[in-house]
Amino acid sequence: MVVRRDRRPIGAPRTTGLLLAFAEELDTRFLYEAETEEARNGLRFEARSCVSSAGTLGFTALSDACRTLDGRDERRIAQAGPETFRRRLGAVRMLARRSAACAAALPPHGRPRATSPATHPRSAAGQGRPSGVRSDG
C-alpha cells in the first residue's frame, strides 16, 4: 500500500487560525494557585501539555519555561521549598500572557504586525529564560 503525504505548507490563514486558537487556550491555562500537591500536579499537567504546541508555533521561551515547571516535582519542592515552584509558575504565566498577546496581534492572513519589545515573548524572556529566574533553581 502506498501512503501519500501532503507536504505543502499549511498557509497563512490556517497558521493564523492555529495561533489565535493557541492564544485563546493560553488564556485558560495556569489560572489556579500552587498551594497544594494536587494543584501543583494540575499545573504540571497544564505545562506538560503546552510544551509541544508552544514550541511548534515558535514560542520557544514559553515551551522551555513549561518544561522546567513540569520538572519541578514534589521531591524537588521538598528539597528547595515551594517558592521555587511559585517562581517558575510566575515565569510561565508571564510568558503565556505575552505569547498570547503576540499570537492574537496577527491580522487576518498571517501578515505580522510589529510587536513591541514589551510584548514579544523572546525579548521579554531574555533569550528563553525569564529575567530573575535562574536555570539551576
Side-chain angles (χ1 to χ4, degrees), residues 5-130:
R5 294 185 185 201
D6 189 0
R7 294 181 188 225
R8 292 177 293 169
I10 62 173
R14 178 77 174 129
T15 301
T16 300
L18 290 170
L19 287 168
L20 291 175
F22 185 64
E24 290 176 13
E25 180 183 313
L26 286 175
D27 288 339
T28 63
R29 289 184 183 257
F30 313 112
L31 297 178
Y32 38 93
E33 296 305 315
E35 300 307 314
T36 66
E37 182 177 348
E38 182 180 357
R40 288 188 295 271
N41 285 337
L43 289 162
R44 279 189 283 272
F45 175 81
E46 294 288 341
R48 188 175 316 117
S49 60
C50 189
V51 169
S52 180
S53 54
T56 299
L57 291 171
F59 298 102
T60 56
L62 176 59
S63 179
D64 293 344
C66 285
R67 187 176 295 109
T68 299
L69 183 67
D70 183 35
R72 298 289 170 213
D73 61 16
E74 292 302 308
R75 180 189 54 79
R76 290 185 80 174
I77 291 170
Q79 292 172 346
E83 185 54 37
T84 60
F85 189 88
R86 285 193 289 270
R87 196 170 52 241
R88 296 290 180 175
L89 177 59
V92 166
R93 286 176 173 161
M94 180 264 307
L95 287 167
R97 282 191 304 274
R98 291 183 179 177
S99 297
C102 241
L106 285 175
H109 303 296
R111 291 189 192 136
R113 290 186 213 161
T115 55
S116 72
T119 60
H120 192 277
R122 198 60 158 157
S123 62
Q127 297 299 324
R129 185 174 299 118

